[in-house]
Amino acid sequence: MATGQIFSRNTQALFYNYKQLPIQRMLDFDFLCGRETPSVAGIINPGSEGFQKLFFGQEEIAIPVHSMIEAACSAHPTADVFINFASFRSAAASSMSALKQPTIRVVAIIAEGVPESDTKQLIAYARANNKVLIGPATVGGIQAGAFKIGDTAGTIDNIIQCKLYRPGSVGFVSKSGGMSNELYNTIARVTDGIYEGIAIGGDVFPGSTLSDHVLRFNNIPQVKMMVVLGELGGRDEYSLVEALKEGKVHKPVVAWVSGTCARLFKSEVQFGHAGAKSGGELESAQAKNQALREAGAVVPTSYEAFETAIKETFEKLVPYCASILSVILIDAILCIGEDWLILVEEGKIAPVPEVEPPQIPEDLKSAIKSGKVRAPTHIISTISDDRGDEPCYAGVPMSTIIQRGYGVGDVISLLWFKRSLPRYCTQFIEICVMLCADHGPCVSGAHNTIVTARAGKDLVSSLVSGLLTIGPRFGGAIDDAARYFKDACDRGLTPYEFVEGMKKKGIRVPGIGHRIKSRDNRDKRVQLLQQYAHTHFPSVKYMEYAVQVEAYTLSKANNLVLNVDGAIGSLFLDLLAGSGMFSKQEIDEIVEIGYLNGLFVLARSIGLIGHTFDQKRLKQPLYRHPWEDVLYTK
């Protein structure tokens, strides 16, 4: 594996299995480092295609989403890192697919618990094809000031504190992602910072080893020393011991193997990682630390002394380190002295000028939560709330609606009128819905729906084509009937004055008249509604007025009967007024807005849906109107 640098400021990655937070953290790191292009070239989300909106600094960008690994690699040939956030169940298959792509050089597997047999196959394929495998069970890696994988190094605040927005001189490798964050901070305090850091993962069989990365760091000129954090269990550290003994590593190595406390326990202890379990004396932390020390690595006596060992090793590379680390500006460096400039010229170590990282814009959601900003809302809702454990209709939890046996009428009363109406009111609403659900296939709405369904259109298209016919001439006269009946009744107009006044204005009386029904063939629906109201309503003032108007219109023509629109309109006025739960202003507003026509729309949708299903079930062909039913004329 050796070779050298695997990341740069131009590195781009493909991100498998969309996760918003780690991708946004990568993009925020890019902006912090002053990259010109985002490090995430594309997202692979099986079954999805399109774009995902994210932020690159203050700019909102659209990152392409692909459903297949092959398609993503083809679309983004310069993206050579594959970051796999798949679950342990599918991580192996998707990682192998990525390794087989010629454009992919590095694969990072985040998931824990990938079957060991699958991991061994991935390792064998990666080594045979000169590819780099990081993980499984890894947080990833980072090249300071250039590129990072997913959640590596944690939050932006931590990254700034660890000075990872610009390169230092230390190469770091660890098994633990969590301890990597700790060491990034430690290294930043006592050296000029990290150049590259890798967490190989805590599984028994990591895709790449500690020694793989140390040997790679050895070939990177910018890396002046290495820091290694191992752990008890396994024998990975011994490959580093052999490399040190064979003289393959020419730069200082400071190492510590954690887990020395395991000897305090009487029985074998399994620590956090799958591989963190000592299988014998050679796999103990003490044995590994001793072997590394004898091979030439700088190994402290305890973890507490690890920071001091790193500091002292770095200071030997930089004799004037104490002065250097206090210098921020380039021109100040020139004042340190000739000895430092000589070290720079000899290439032992280069000064790292401090730069002020740009401010990452805070997301609006977090800024609002912290009270830093206030933002206006874009929608107001008073009828329902889905923010809690369960949805609420007008403040009534869904569980309460079910437990109390509420019906459709009760739900309508909550969502439309924002209050629980008495049972006789909600039952009347349900009766209206049932009586208006359908009126046969010949009415205009049903006819339109049938024709549309037979044209092969979908349910919504067929339903909407029927609903669009609802208006003043078909089912949409309930509000007008209520409005005119209420105005006339409240003003004390006689039926004669009302009807003749409407005639003078050239307005048909809404709610009066039917194409089929007449004095001798009354609409049964109207009779049922009137019977219910007489039995349950405390007052039927408006309905009685509508009946008086009907008596006058029938004296003019036999078919000018009170139709279902007029019956519902007048009775709903009685419901609103008689319930005692609505003010006069609220009643006027309900009529004006169009609540009552809403009842017909809701009810007739049931029938129109039924006609759609009926035509599709019967497999009816495209409808063509017969010639003989058309009058062709000039």
Side-chain angles (χ1 to χ4, degrees):
M1 173 177 168
T3 62
Q5 195 162 302
I6 56 176
F7 306 130
S8 73
R9 286 177 63 85
N10 297 318
T11 296
Q12 285 195 299
L14 295 175
F15 195 103
Y16 188 89
N17 196 22
Y18 176 71
K19 304 288 181 189
Q20 190 269 340
L21 183 57
I23 296 179
Q24 188 60 65
R25 283 181 168 177
M26 289 179 67
L27 298 175
D28 287 345
F29 179 74
D30 297 341
F31 180 75
L32 196 70
C33 299
R35 281 184 57 132
E36 294 183 0
T37 55
S39 60
V40 180
I43 298 166
I44 304 165
N45 216 31
S48 300
E49 290 192 353
F51 294 89
Q52 277 290 350
K53 295 194 301 179
L54 293 130
F55 283 100
F56 185 60
Q58 286 188 318
E59 179 186 0
E60 195 169 25
I61 61 173
I63 297 181
V65 178
H66 307 274
S67 60
M68 302 289 291
I69 293 174
E70 296 78 7
C73 291
S74 176
H76 310 284
T78 60
D80 57 4
V81 177
F82 184 85
I83 302 172
N84 195 343
F85 266 75
S87 70
F88 70 91
R89 291 179 291 273
S90 60
S94 49
S95 296
M96 182 62 79
S97 178
L99 285 169
K100 291 180 178 179
Q101 303 305 311
T103 56
I104 299 298
R105 292 188 308 108
V106 181
V107 172
I109 306 174
I110 310 302
E112 296 183 52
V114 176
E116 292 179 0
S117 59
D118 293 340
T119 301
K120 289 179 180 179
Q121 292 180 23
L122 292 170
I123 293 170
Y125 186 89
R127 292 191 179 279
N129 291 273
N130 198 30
K131 308 241 177 169
V132 178
L133 184 63
I134 303 172
T138 181
V139 73
I142 186 169
Q143 182 174 320
F147 175 83
K148 89 179 186 88
I149 294 172
D151 291 316
T152 301
T155 65
I156 287 296
D157 289 341
N158 188 65
I159 288 171
I160 292 174
Q161 188 173 358
C162 297
K163 300 181 181 179
L164 293 168
Y165 51 83
R166 49 76 171 156
S169 304
V170 181
F172 171 73
V173 61
S174 166
K175 287 187 176 181
S176 169
M179 286 304 296
S180 293
N181 282 351
E182 181 68 25
L183 265 295
Y184 291 151
N185 191 286
T186 298
I187 291 169
R189 284 199 306 269
V190 297
T191 74
D192 63 357
I194 289 288
Y195 182 80
E196 184 183 322
I198 297 290
I200 64 171
D203 277 2
V204 177
F205 298 101
S208 50
T209 65
L210 298 173
S211 60
D212 285 337
H213 293 286
V214 168
L215 291 171
R216 191 169 57 76
F217 293 157
N218 192 66
N219 295 333
I220 300 175
Q222 295 91 332
V223 175
K224 304 305 179 183
M225 64 175 284
M226 282 84 88
V227 175
V228 179
L229 181 63
E231 63 186 23
L232 83 163
R235 302 196 176 187
D236 185 13
E237 288 81 1
Y238 288 105
S239 63
L240 176 56
V241 169
E242 292 304 313
L244 288 166
K245 286 182 177 180
E246 294 172 6
K248 294 180 180 179
V249 182
H250 310 116
K251 300 174 183 178
V253 175
V254 183
W256 177 254
V257 179
S258 60
T260 54
C261 66
R263 285 186 176 177
L264 299 175
F265 298 94
K266 294 181 179 180
S267 60
E268 186 176 69
V269 178
Q270 170 73 61
F271 288 83
H273 294 149
K277 180 175 67 173
S278 179
E281 177 58 28
L282 278 176
E283 295 186 9
S284 69
Q286 285 84 351
K288 291 181 180 182
N289 280 325
Q290 183 61 30
L292 285 165
R293 186 180 293 112
E294 292 174 353
V298 178
V299 181
T301 56
S302 66
Y303 180 79
E304 287 74 14
F306 199 19
E307 179 175 333
T308 301
I310 296 170
K311 180 178 185 292
E312 290 175 350
T313 303
F314 183 73
E315 286 177 347
K316 289 177 183 178
L317 292 172
V318 187
Y320 303 102
C321 179
S323 299
I324 295 162
L325 289 179
S326 66
V327 176
I328 296 177
L329 301 174
I330 294 289
D331 56 352
I333 292 174
L334 299 177
C335 301
I336 292 174
E338 295 180 359
D339 292 337
W340 166 248
L341 295 176
I342 291 170
L343 284 170
V344 173
E345 290 171 3
E346 290 177 354
K348 289 183 180 179
I349 197 160
V352 177
E354 282 297 340
V355 294
E356 185 69 26
Q359 182 72 34
I360 299 293
E362 188 173 359
D363 289 339
L364 180 62
K365 186 176 180 180
S366 62
I368 293 174
K369 188 175 181 180
S370 64
K372 293 180 180 178
V373 299
R374 57 188 182 189
T377 56
H378 298 91
I379 292 176
I380 302 174
S381 177
T382 64
I383 65 169
S384 62
D385 191 337
D386 60 344
R387 294 172 298 176
D389 294 334
E390 58 179 320
C392 292
Y393 293 166
V396 180
M398 190 68 68
S399 56
T400 301
I401 292 173
I402 301 302
Q403 291 164 4
R404 293 182 180 177
Y406 283 3
V408 172
D410 297 286
V411 171
I412 292 173
S413 77
L414 292 171
L415 291 177
W416 290 17
F417 302 104
K418 294 171 51 180
R419 66 204 74 189
S420 291
L421 295 175
R423 183 56 188 150
Y424 78 87
C425 296
T426 59
Q427 191 170 356
F428 177 76
I429 292 173
E430 291 173 3
I431 291 172
C432 291
V433 171
M434 289 187 287
L435 294 180
C436 296
D438 192 53
H439 202 207
C442 298
V443 295
S444 59
H447 178 80
N448 272 19
T449 290
I450 289 169
V451 171
T452 306
R454 289 178 61 166
K457 300 291 285 185
D458 60 276
L459 171 63
V460 174
S461 300
S462 302
L463 171 62
V464 169
S465 70
L467 290 177
L468 288 175
T469 64
I470 295 176
R473 297 182 181 180
F474 171 62
I478 302 177
D479 283 311
D480 283 342
R483 188 176 299 115
Y484 284 113
F485 283 149
K486 183 177 185 300
D487 177 70
C489 183
D490 290 348
R491 288 197 293 142
L493 298 180
T494 65
Y496 169 82
E497 291 171 330
F498 170 53
V499 174
E500 296 304 323
M502 293 286 284
K503 183 177 179 181
K504 289 180 180 179
K505 296 176 184 177
I507 303 174
R508 294 175 180 269
V509 179
I512 295 292
H514 203 285
R515 293 178 63 86
I516 298 174
K517 301 301 177 180
S518 63
R519 183 199 305 270
D520 302 319
N521 180 27
R522 296 299 182 100
D523 191 331
K524 189 65 175 179
R525 297 175 298 174
V526 173
Q527 294 176 335
L528 290 169
L529 289 169
Q530 290 174 330
Q531 289 171 8
Y532 182 86
H534 276 300
T535 304
H536 297 92
F537 282 22
S539 170
V540 288
K541 177 181 73 170
Y542 291 105
M543 184 191 76
E544 289 176 346
Y545 183 79
V547 170
Q548 293 171 17
V549 172
E550 177 192 43
Y552 177 76
T553 55
L554 282 175
S555 67
K556 291 178 168 290
N558 202 38
N559 69 331
L560 293 181
V561 293
L562 182 67
N563 58 37
V564 72
D565 290 354
I568 293 175
S570 60
L571 285 172
F572 228 101
L573 290 173
D574 288 324
L575 181 151
L576 297 172
S579 67
M581 300 184 71
F582 298 90
S583 66
K584 181 181 183 302
Q585 182 180 356
E586 286 178 318
I587 295 173
D588 291 339
E589 186 179 49
I590 287 170
V591 174
E592 184 63 32
I593 288 175
Y595 276 51
L596 309 188
N597 279 349
L599 271 180
F600 186 84
V601 171
L602 173 65
R604 192 51 57 95
S605 293
I606 299 171
L608 298 179
I609 290 172
H611 284 296
T612 302
F613 291 156
D614 190 42
Q615 295 303 306
K616 291 186 178 294
R617 183 172 56 249
L618 295 171
K619 297 180 174 59
Q620 290 297 285
L622 179 68
Y623 176 83
R624 179 182 174 85
H625 203 71
W627 288 337
E628 58 269 22
D629 196 36
V630 177
L631 173 62
Y632 293 94
T633 180
K634 294 181 181 179

